[in-house]
């Protein structure tokens, strides 16, 4: 079974600075998808960014980018120019290609943005 | 358009009672998922529907938990003989397809069993 590990329970960053959240995963599959979700206090999970494993190019969405290292099974999230609204829980998630379509989540990292 | 809607937002029940949690997915989404999120944890998969059928129910913890999606749209998660350990936020998500199609989540139902 696949597992996702987020080793940083909490992180903090100064407004306008850059922060990187770590994620590693364990799988024997070669084709899969990786996601970062944000969960503010409202509880709704919001997709931040996604990456297909077959793509070598790292995904980017505005201030959010990933560093995908397939051989190392690492998928970190970089947030540039951090804003107060970025404060939330961030979850890394894995999804197999084919078979069950469920997402497997890590335990999350709580990000605090200091003004 | 409207997002995923979950009702009720909060539910308090006594140990041993039966509860139903409802999920209205985004219109046209064929895939629907239920997750359970305990305090300080990531969401744990419960069950996945593709259309009306449960394609994967491997996450249901025991036979007290059951979910249906009779017309391929609205889904109901049913919990019998609730226990205090069932207290959690129950999240529902829907998706238009498979693979990289993102899951769209509702705001969840916070279930408290006293």
């Amino acid at each position: 079974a696949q597992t996702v590990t987020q080793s940083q329970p909490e992180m903090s960053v100064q407004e306008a600075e850059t922060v990187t959240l770590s994620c590693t995963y364990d799988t024997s599959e070669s084709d899969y998808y990786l996601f970062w979700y944000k969960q503010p206090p409202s509880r709704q999970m919001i997709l931040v960014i996604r990456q297909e494993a077959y793509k070598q190019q790292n995904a980017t969405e505005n201030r959010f980018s990933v560093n995908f290292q397939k051989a190392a099974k690492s998928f970190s999230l970089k947030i540039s120019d951090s804003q107060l609204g970025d404060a939330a829980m961030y979850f890394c998630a894995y999804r197999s290609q084919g078979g069950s379509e469920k997402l497997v989540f890590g335990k999350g990292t709580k990000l605090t943005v200091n003004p | 358009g409207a997002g995923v809607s979950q009702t009720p937002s909060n539910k308090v029940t006594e140990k041993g009672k039966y509860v139903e949690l409802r999920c209205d997915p985004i219109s046209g989404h064929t895939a629907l998922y239920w997750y359970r999120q305990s305090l300080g944890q990531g969401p744990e998969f419960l069950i996945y529907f593709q259309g009306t059928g449960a394609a994967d129910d491997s996450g249901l913890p025991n036979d007290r938990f059951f979910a249906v999606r009779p017309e391929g749209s609205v889904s109901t998660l049913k919990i019998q003989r609730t226990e205090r350990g069932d207290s959690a936020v129950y999240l529902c998500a829907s998706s238009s397809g498979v693979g990289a199609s993102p899951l769209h989540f509702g705001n969840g139902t916070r279930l408290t069993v006293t």
Side-chain angles (χ1 to χ4, degrees):
Chain A
Q2 294 80 24
T3 59
V4 177
T5 301
Q6 293 179 251
S7 59
Q8 307 154 316
E10 296 187 28
M11 291 283 284
S12 64
V13 63
Q14 290 296 125
E15 198 175 2
E17 296 295 308
T18 296
V19 64
T20 298
L21 308 184
S22 300
C23 173
T24 58
Y25 56 94
D26 186 26
T27 185
S28 59
E29 300 172 337
S30 58
D31 294 318
Y32 48 87
Y33 307 95
L34 296 165
F35 304 83
W36 277 97
Y37 278 85
K38 169 185 177 181
Q39 187 179 42
S42 67
R43 298 199 305 244
Q44 186 179 25
M45 301 283 279
I46 302 166
L47 178 68
V48 174
I49 199 166
R50 59 183 149 173
Q51 174 85 40
E52 290 93 337
Y54 67 85
K55 290 186 177 179
Q56 292 187 336
Q57 186 172 8
N58 289 322
T60 299
E61 289 286 344
N62 301 312
R63 297 183 294 107
F64 299 88
S65 61
V66 298
N67 183 3
F68 174 48
Q69 301 289 329
K70 191 172 184 179
K73 297 179 184 175
S74 171
F75 184 60
S76 61
L77 174 69
K78 185 170 83 170
I79 306 174
S80 303
D81 185 25
S82 297
Q83 300 175 359
L84 295 177
D86 295 334
M89 286 292 294
Y90 285 82
F91 292 95
C92 179
Y94 173 104
R95 186 184 204 177
S96 298
Q97 184 181 55
S100 176
E101 300 300 326
K102 66 185 180 187
L103 282 176
V104 177
F105 286 89
K107 289 189 175 182
T109 296
K110 181 180 180 181
L111 179 65
T112 302
V113 181
N114 300 309
Chain B
V4 177
S5 176
Q6 290 189 247
T7 54
S9 179
N10 292 282
K11 175 72 176 177
V12 180
T13 190
E14 293 180 348
K15 178 177 179 294
K17 299 290 188 181
Y18 168 82
V19 296
E20 289 189 352
L21 311 180
R22 176 187 169 104
C23 174
D24 272 281
I26 292 172
S27 178
H29 279 190
T30 57
L32 185 145
Y33 306 77
W34 283 100
Y35 282 81
R36 178 169 69 174
Q37 187 175 22
S38 300
L39 191 63
Q41 302 293 316
E44 292 179 288
F45 170 78
L46 294 176
I47 187 169
Y48 153 60
F49 287 91
Q50 184 61 250
T52 60
D56 183 353
D57 64 358
S58 62
L60 294 177
N62 51 60
D63 61 6
R64 295 187 298 106
F65 288 75
F66 189 71
V68 296
R69 195 186 184 199
E71 298 179 357
S73 178
V74 171
S75 177
T76 304
L77 178 65
K78 308 180 181 192
I79 309 174
Q80 299 177 321
R81 304 183 303 280
T82 52
E83 300 177 356
R84 292 194 180 88
D86 298 335
S87 296
V89 173
Y90 289 81
L91 295 168
C92 177
S94 70
S95 169
S96 61
V98 297
S101 299
L103 272 61
H104 299 264
F105 284 82
N107 287 349
T109 294
R110 181 179 297 280
L111 176 66
T112 302
V113 182
T114 62

